[in-house]
Amino acid sequence: MIKVAVPNKGSLSEKALEVLKEAGYKGRGVNKALNVVDEPNGVEFYFLRPKDIAIYVAQGHLDLGITGRDLAADSRADVEEVMPLGFGSSTFRFAAPAEQSWTVEGIEGKRVATSYPHLVSDYLARHGVTPSEVIRLDGAVEISIKLGVADVIADVVSTGATLRQQGLAPFGEPIVSSEAVVIRRRGAAPTDEQEVLLGRIRGILNAQNFLMVDYNVARENLERACALTPGITGPTVSPLSREGWVAVRAMVPRKKVNQAMDQLAAAGAEGILATELRIARL
């Protein structure tokens, strides 16, 4: 039985549990248990703080873990990324007063406030920059400059609205572009049991990223239509009772489906349908 860590709360937890449920695994239940044994599937799930998961995995107490790429990096745990999961996306950047001009090199000798001190320290060290202090704060990092605690902050930036409210602006390249990932102890050999779980998760993610598109088209326009919907290994083409027409089915990336449907209509296709997928092993 393999042991897998899942975030115990927050947005990462909610989405991870949703994916695992769709993949056929036992849920956590209403009692919010710290661990759940899924005997039929040969998996025991442990619900832990996202910041701690990489540490448990690196020490070999758990086989796999789901956490944020930024959290794994900040832990300095010896783990490797097995699979990106495509949710929980965030960008981690430096920010400072908007009326001032800052560069990463300008952080030399300055105070930096952040919730990810190891991640920031390691990034600055790689760039040859030595701050006077990296101050760990567990929340409300944006206010630290106004309160005189720090000169610069490093924090998650999405729309930048929170930074602007405090008169701050991001600068420099992103420290890390994060998302939820599956991690494993570095150098650990994957097992068949692990590959089954990863394959199930991959099937759910594929289904979320693609739609199945069906349409009818005249044979004379088939080549043009198939070029618009090449599918994964090629579209499925079936003859129709209507003379000179065929039915076509192909998987299309969700982000491109509306554009593809517009182009198919322009190519003479009819009865164009896009339907959701539950699981897709590609």
Side-chain angles (χ1 to χ4, degrees):
M1 181 169 290
I2 62 172
K3 298 179 179 179
V4 179
V6 181
N8 64 348
K9 60 182 179 180
S11 58
L12 288 183
S13 176
E14 294 171 6
K15 187 61 178 179
L17 288 171
E18 177 186 322
V19 170
L20 290 170
K21 181 179 179 181
E22 283 293 308
Y25 293 103
K26 188 175 180 179
R28 191 177 184 185
V30 295
N31 61 349
K32 302 295 183 182
L34 294 180
N35 71 299
V36 171
V37 178
D38 188 343
E39 193 73 39
N41 288 305
V43 182
E44 185 170 8
F45 294 102
Y46 288 81
F47 300 93
L48 306 171
R49 288 200 333 153
K51 285 190 173 185
D52 297 336
I53 286 175
I55 297 171
Y56 285 105
V57 172
Q59 293 178 354
H61 301 299
L62 299 169
D63 300 293
L64 298 170
I66 297 175
T67 188
R69 181 179 292 132
D70 51 355
L71 295 170
D74 191 60
S75 73
R76 290 177 173 168
D78 197 17
V79 296
E80 60 185 7
E81 188 175 312
V82 179
M83 180 193 300
L85 297 177
F87 60 86
S89 299
S90 63
T91 302
F92 197 68
R93 300 188 68 182
F94 291 109
E99 69 275 8
Q100 301 174 12
S101 179
W102 281 84
T103 63
V104 173
E105 291 73 21
I107 298 175
E108 181 76 30
K110 303 298 184 181
R111 301 166 299 165
V112 184
T114 182
S115 297
Y116 298 78
H118 294 149
L119 181 61
V120 170
S121 296
D122 293 344
Y123 178 89
L124 291 175
R126 289 195 301 271
H127 288 75
V129 176
T130 304
S132 65
E133 186 179 7
V134 176
I135 305 160
R136 175 172 181 170
L137 298 175
D138 288 329
V141 176
E142 299 87 355
I143 199 68
S144 62
I145 295 177
K146 184 174 290 186
L147 293 175
V149 174
D151 305 298
V152 177
I153 68 166
D155 202 13
V156 172
V157 177
S158 51
T159 64
T162 305
L163 292 179
R164 288 193 294 271
Q165 289 174 0
Q166 298 301 323
L168 306 178
F171 66 89
E173 65 180 9
I175 300 168
V176 65
S177 294
S178 185
E179 64 180 302
V181 295
V182 179
I183 57 171
R184 178 168 51 215
R185 180 165 56 89
R186 189 176 305 279
T191 65
D192 292 341
E193 292 81 1
Q194 291 177 24
E195 291 302 325
V196 168
L197 182 140
L198 294 172
R200 287 196 188 186
I201 292 176
R202 195 175 290 113
I204 300 303
L205 298 179
N206 288 337
Q208 293 177 350
N209 292 328
F210 288 87
L211 293 175
M212 184 65 74
V213 173
D214 293 90
Y215 58 91
N216 300 332
V217 69
R219 282 192 179 276
E220 63 189 37
N221 296 324
L222 178 60
E223 184 176 353
R224 179 183 174 189
C226 287
L228 297 172
T229 57
I232 305 303
T233 56
T236 300
V237 181
S238 306
L240 289 174
S241 58
R242 182 180 179 182
E243 185 68 27
W245 282 66
V246 294
V248 182
R249 162 170 282 201
M251 290 175 63
V252 175
R254 183 180 291 269
K255 293 180 179 179
K256 298 180 179 180
V257 74
N258 284 298
Q259 180 183 10
M261 294 177 79
D262 293 340
Q263 294 170 333
L264 286 170
E270 298 179 358
I272 309 169
L273 305 175
T275 53
E276 296 279 352
L277 300 170
R278 289 293 302 275
I279 305 174
R281 301 288 184 98
L282 305 180

